[in-house]
């Protein structure tokens, strides 16, 4: 883990929620929205791309902003360079 700083409120360096992202690949019925099929990453439908986003996201526990971890890390790095 690296130092973080909220890019929105610009004061929080210590209180964050780490949100684990565990995607489930599914096929939905177009009219009802019911799950018709669940896929595993090694058995996806040819037209179903695998999830390629971050494994977790970060929420500032002071202002509520939710972003990718890089946004918080880059803000902290930028802040340290400007001191």
């Amino acid at each position: 883990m690296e130092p973080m700083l909220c890019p929105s409120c610009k004061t929080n360096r210590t209180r964050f929620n780490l949100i684990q992202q565990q995607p489930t690949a599914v096929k939905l019925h177009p009219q009802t929205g019911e799950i018709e099929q669940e896929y595993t990453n090694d058995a996806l439908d040819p037209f179903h791309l695998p999830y390629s986003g971050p494994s977790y996201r970060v929420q500032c526990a002071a202002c509520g902003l939710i972003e990718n971890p890089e946004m918080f890390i880059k803000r902290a790095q930028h802040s340290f360079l400007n001191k």
Side-chain angles (χ1 to χ4, degrees), residues 31-68:
Q31 281 78 36
T32 66
E34 296 286 322
I35 295 175
E36 290 185 339
Q37 187 173 0
E38 284 192 35
Y39 301 102
T40 61
N41 276 345
D42 32 312
L44 289 176
D45 182 273
F47 297 105
H48 199 119
L49 294 174
Y51 178 74
S52 60
S55 60
Y56 73 98
R57 294 192 58 163
V58 176
Q59 180 182 34
C60 174
C63 74
L65 176 73
I66 299 174
E67 278 294 342
N68 291 335

Side-chain angles (χ1 to χ4, degrees), residues 65-82:
L65 176 73
I66 299 174
E67 278 294 342
N68 291 335
E70 294 79 20
M71 295 292 291
F72 291 86
I73 293 167
K74 293 283 186 200
R75 182 67 183 161
Q77 290 171 345
H78 185 283
S79 172
F80 287 127
L81 290 176
N82 288 334

